[in-house]
Amino acid sequence: MDMPVNVPVDNPEADTEWNDILRKHGIIPEKPPSPTPIIEEAILEAQRRAHENRLEDKDLDELDALEDEEDEGFLEQYRKKRMAEISTLQKASVYNQVYPLQKTDYAKEVTEASADAFVLVNLTSSTGGNTESRVLSEIWRQLAPKYGEIKFCEIRGDMCIEGYPDRNTPTILVYKDGEIRRQYVTLRELKGVRTKVEDLEKVLVDLGAIKEGDLRLRKQDDSDDDRNRAPEKEEDDDDDWD
């Protein structure tokens, strides 16, 4: 009776002549294909896509500045795209201010209006001593003209809801399609008194009220970078007086 032969194999994955003989006779399995070509292909594809989309975050001024570096037809394609985006925003930009509310108009100005747009209501403090409330009111006034397709409203909390405690202000109520989609009671879920415009912009992106790639968001980031950049050291002119 033939007895099975125990063939020694140090490393079945190794590229050796002995392993090739064993694979040929089915003693060890074929070596799986190397993942390297697949990885290299994926990297090349990612680079190709990045190159094709290299102008996605450029506004019209930035596109004009690239006239000597990019193909004119390619630039014109993106100019048309930006113009279409600007036109769409301009048509949708119908609010552009903070709307003070009265309780009697709440259903019309908020609930019904949310069928056409996101409506954000700021329930403010009834006193002047609530710092968070003052912070949010100022942010509201910066966001409203910047994102005119969103309706920003404001009403005192105790005028909107009888007996609404001042300690719960400011309260943000987000309406869409007649329903409250989200609410923030005070700014503790954000950054408290340190809450800034960009923090609310992140909320708007999360809600779907604005797109993550909206150029208006990048402009805000650029402005912040300019403000945070350390001023250049002025040259010492004392030598002129030596």
Side-chain angles (χ1 to χ4, degrees):
M1 179 177 178
D2 294 335
M3 299 294 292
V5 179
N6 186 15
V7 180
V9 180
D10 292 332
N11 180 6
E13 299 293 331
D15 285 323
T16 65
E17 184 177 354
W18 175 242
N19 280 353
D20 288 341
I21 294 172
L22 296 179
R23 292 188 188 103
K24 181 178 180 180
H25 292 280
I27 297 173
I28 63 174
E30 291 291 334
K31 185 179 179 182
S34 171
T36 302
I38 299 175
I39 295 173
E40 290 177 347
E41 183 179 349
I43 292 173
L44 289 174
E45 176 64 15
Q47 291 174 340
R48 183 186 67 78
R49 289 182 178 273
H51 183 71
E52 288 181 352
N53 299 326
R54 63 190 179 277
L55 302 184
E56 281 294 336
D57 63 345
K58 306 295 183 184
D59 60 22
L60 287 174
D61 291 337
E62 291 170 323
L63 291 175
D64 289 341
L66 295 173
E67 285 184 347
D68 296 334
E69 302 175 23
E70 296 285 353
D71 176 74
E72 179 59 30
F74 189 53
L75 280 175
E76 186 60 26
Q77 175 184 344
Y78 275 91
R79 286 194 187 99
K80 291 180 179 179
K81 183 177 180 180
R82 292 293 170 265
M83 292 298 294
E85 291 171 349
I86 292 172
S87 177
T88 299
L89 284 175
Q90 288 175 339
K91 291 177 181 178
S93 185
V94 296
Y95 300 111
N96 304 306
Q97 64 179 12
V98 177
Y99 287 77
L101 296 175
Q102 298 294 327
K103 187 173 182 178
T104 53
D105 299 326
Y106 195 95
K108 177 182 177 182
E109 297 294 335
V110 176
T111 309
E112 295 177 16
S114 70
D116 301 318
F118 276 90
V119 180
L120 275 67
V121 181
N122 174 18
L123 302 185
T124 67
S125 170
S126 60
T127 68
N130 187 319
T131 304
E132 284 191 4
S133 192
R134 294 199 302 271
V135 167
L136 187 61
S137 291
E138 175 57 31
I139 292 174
W140 241 228
R141 280 152 184 74
Q142 294 180 53
L143 290 174
K146 187 175 182 181
Y147 301 102
E149 71 274 27
I150 301 171
K151 189 173 184 179
F152 292 88
C153 302
E154 198 169 75
I155 184 174
R156 267 176 44 183
D158 60 349
M159 289 179 60
C160 181
I161 304 171
E162 186 176 353
Y164 195 73
D166 200 71
R167 65 178 179 276
N168 287 352
T169 61
T171 294
I172 301 173
L173 301 176
V174 180
Y175 284 79
K176 187 67 177 76
D177 297 325
E179 299 178 351
I180 295 180
R181 294 293 181 86
R182 190 170 302 178
Q183 62 180 356
Y184 294 85
V185 179
T186 76
L187 300 181
R188 63 175 175 264
E189 291 185 50
L190 299 172
K191 294 181 181 177
V193 295
R194 295 182 177 84
T195 301
K196 297 181 180 180
V197 168
E198 53 265 33
D199 297 313
L200 268 299
E201 287 178 325
K202 291 177 182 176
V203 170
L204 296 177
V205 170
D206 188 41
L207 289 167
I210 55 178
K211 294 180 180 179
E212 188 171 0
D214 196 305
L215 287 175
R216 294 171 294 182
L217 293 172
R218 194 171 65 83
K219 286 298 183 183
Q220 175 71 34
D221 292 339
D222 291 345
S223 298
D224 290 342
D225 290 342
D226 291 339
R227 286 197 297 269
N228 295 329
R229 188 178 293 115
E232 295 182 4
K233 184 178 179 181
E234 295 183 2
E235 295 182 2
D236 192 351
D237 294 333
D238 290 345
D239 292 343
D240 296 340
W241 299 94
D242 289 345

